C-alpha cells in the first residue's frame, strides 16, 4: 500500500514537472519567434532606407 502511494505521488509530481517544462519551452519558443520577427522587421526597415 505504501509503495503504491509513493509511486502514485511520483507519477503526479513527474506529470506536473513535465507540464511546467512544456510551458517553459512554449514560452521560450514564442519569445524566440517574436525576436526573429522583430529582427526581420528591423532588417527590412534598414534595407528600405535610402
Amino acid at each position: 500500500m505504501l509503495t503504491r502511494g509513493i509511486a502514485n505521488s511520483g507519477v503526479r509530481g513527474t506529470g506536473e514537472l513535465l507540464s511546467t517544462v512544456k510551458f517553459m519551452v512554449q514560452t521560450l519558443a514564442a519569445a524566440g519567434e517574436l525576436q526573429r520577427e522583430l529582427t526581420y522587421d528591423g532588417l527590412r526597415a534598414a534595407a528600405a532606407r535610402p
Side-chain angles (χ1 to χ4, degrees):
M1 288 289 203
L2 180 60
T3 306
R4 202 175 299 161
I6 292 170
N8 288 341
S9 67
V11 168
R12 183 173 60 238
T14 302
E16 291 170 2
L17 176 62
L18 290 175
S19 177
T20 301
V21 170
K22 181 179 176 183
F23 174 77
M24 290 173 60
V25 169
Q26 289 173 339
T27 302
L28 290 171
E33 180 61 29
L34 177 61
Q35 182 180 14
R36 279 190 294 277
E37 288 178 16
L38 293 173
T39 301
Y40 177 76
D41 289 347
L43 291 173
R44 191 172 56 186
R49 289 186 201 147

